[in-house]
Amino acid sequence: MNCSAHALRPAAITVAGLRKSFGGKVVLAGIDLTVAEGTIFALLGPNGAGKTTAVQILSTLLPADGGDIRVAGHDPATEPDSVRAAIGVTGQFSAVDNLLTGEENLRLMTDLHHLGRAGGRQRAAALLRQFGLEDAAGKAVSTYSGGMRRRLDLAMTLTGEPKLIFLDEPTTGLDPPSRRTMWEIIRALAADGVTIFLTTQYLDEADQLADRIAVLDHGQIVVEGTPDELKRQIPGGHVALEFASPDDLVVAADLVHATSRDDAALTLQVPSDGSLDSLRSLIDKLDVAAVAVTKLSIHTPDLDDVFFAFTGQSDSRNPDPQKAVTP
């Protein structure tokens, strides 16, 4: 999303100086946040950083020790019912009833929202259709896959048509196809104007979905911005070049400032911010010298680099994404 467009949107959430301690341990040390309406905002951070506490305060489940908070225009401390009427919350663990069918779970929610018999039936049918659960509507939830349960859980959250949804690790434990299905649903909700406040343990998920990201560490926001803005703050971007011959490699090495050279592989790594201007300048230099490049690839820092740089966590590059970061 364009940053200027983001700035022009009214705020769905504003937080200034939010503080919270438990037994003398400071969990939130005066954080500031603004989440624009109709956007996807991701809150990342290592285990114990305070993300869950922040979500619980914003969704009226915990009182704050201090700070000015507005959620959907209301103060959670003095107007909790107004906040609850405007939001939906989907926790890390599905809140569905295994003994009921998918339709029965949704009808239970429509009754809680006082939609009436006909209105409840229509709303449940629409949600089952929206989340691809029509064929499983009459089956007990105990027979559902993990992905189906998460979709039903989110459908139940949407029963009252909230304009602001808190999603706490919505795809944890799902297989890749189910994760992507959830991503599509989340994007569609935002496209319809729903504001999404997301916590996730998957950095690629935040990169794929979020308009803005904040990293919380030791109770403070250590960095915030769009995914691209955050990546640009991290050094290490480069262009990898592979050449047709040793002579081409030698000539290129004299022309550019390479940070890495491999004579056996006929490759160079040249620092770059990944911009079109820097890439054009590099290619022009090589063209003028008639250097034959057989392969060129651009490497830019990713959110893993951002996370580890700003939280001081060691980057083990664990192949298991669930172990890369825990909220």
Side-chain angles (χ1 to χ4, degrees), residues 45 67 86 92 104 116 121 126 141 149 158 170 177 183 213 225 231 243 246 252 254 256 273 282 286 298 327:
Q92 181 177 350
E104 287 169 342
R121 187 182 299 110
V141 171
R149 291 170 63 88
L158 292 173
W183 290 1
I213 293 170
K231 293 171 195 175
F243 302 94
D254 289 338
V256 301
D273 61 5
L282 174 61
L286 298 174
I298 302 171

Side-chain angles (χ1 to χ4, degrees), residues 142-161:
S142 59
T143 67
Y144 282 20
S145 67
M148 292 168 68
R149 291 170 63 88
R150 293 304 281 170
R151 298 205 305 274
L152 178 61
D153 198 24
L154 183 51
M156 292 169 65
T157 299
L158 292 173
T159 303
E161 300 185 87

Side-chain angles (χ1 to χ4, degrees), residues 43-83:
L43 186 63
L44 305 178
N47 190 36
K51 295 180 308 304
T52 298
T53 299
V55 169
Q56 289 176 333
I57 291 171
L58 295 175
S59 58
T60 77
L61 297 178
L62 274 179
D65 292 341
D68 184 42
I69 309 167
R70 292 293 182 273
V71 177
H74 303 285
D75 185 338
T78 61
E79 305 171 277
D81 289 341
S82 297
V83 172

Side-chain angles (χ1 to χ4, degrees), residues 6-166:
H6 178 280
L8 292 173
R9 290 175 179 262
I13 299 173
T14 58
V15 174
L18 174 58
R19 302 188 311 278
K20 184 67 180 179
S21 299
F22 294 101
K25 176 179 173 56
V26 177
V27 178
L28 298 174
I31 68 170
D32 301 331
L33 288 174
T34 300
V35 180
E37 288 183 359
T39 64
I40 302 175
F41 182 92
L43 186 63
L44 305 178
N47 190 36
K51 295 180 308 304
T52 298
T53 299
V55 169
Q56 289 176 333
I57 291 171
L58 295 175
S59 58
T60 77
L61 297 178
L62 274 179
D65 292 341
D68 184 42
I69 309 167
R70 292 293 182 273
V71 177
H74 303 285
D75 185 338
T78 61
E79 305 171 277
D81 289 341
S82 297
V83 172
R84 290 168 192 152
I87 69 172
V89 181
T90 297
Q92 181 177 350
F93 303 102
S94 295
V96 297
D97 189 323
N98 288 326
L99 299 179
L100 300 179
T101 67
E103 183 177 11
E104 287 169 342
N105 269 278
L106 284 169
R107 289 301 303 276
L108 178 62
M109 293 302 295
T110 61
D111 288 345
L112 291 174
H113 284 280
H114 307 292
L115 297 186
R117 182 182 298 273
R121 187 182 299 110
Q122 292 174 359
R123 183 67 179 146
L127 288 167
L128 288 166
R129 184 166 55 253
Q130 178 180 352
F131 286 85
L133 294 170
E134 285 180 293
D135 292 342
K139 297 179 181 178
V141 171
S142 59
T143 67
Y144 282 20
S145 67
M148 292 168 68
R149 291 170 63 88
R150 293 304 281 170
R151 298 205 305 274
L152 178 61
D153 198 24
L154 183 51
M156 292 169 65
T157 299
L158 292 173
T159 303
E161 300 185 87
K163 299 304 291 181
L164 169 58
I165 300 176
F166 293 95

Side-chain angles (χ1 to χ4, degrees), residues 25-28 43-54 92-93 168-169 172 199-203 214-220 222 307-308 310-314 321-327:
K25 176 179 173 56
V26 177
V27 178
L28 298 174
L43 186 63
L44 305 178
N47 190 36
K51 295 180 308 304
T52 298
T53 299
Q92 181 177 350
F93 303 102
D168 186 11
E169 302 182 36
T172 295
T199 70
T200 178
Q201 63 179 331
Y202 299 115
L203 296 173
V215 179
L216 184 64
D217 191 31
H218 292 97
Q220 296 182 323
V222 293
F307 180 85
F308 293 118
F310 283 100
T311 64
Q313 304 290 304
S314 61
Q322 294 194 54
K323 298 179 182 178
V325 49
T326 54

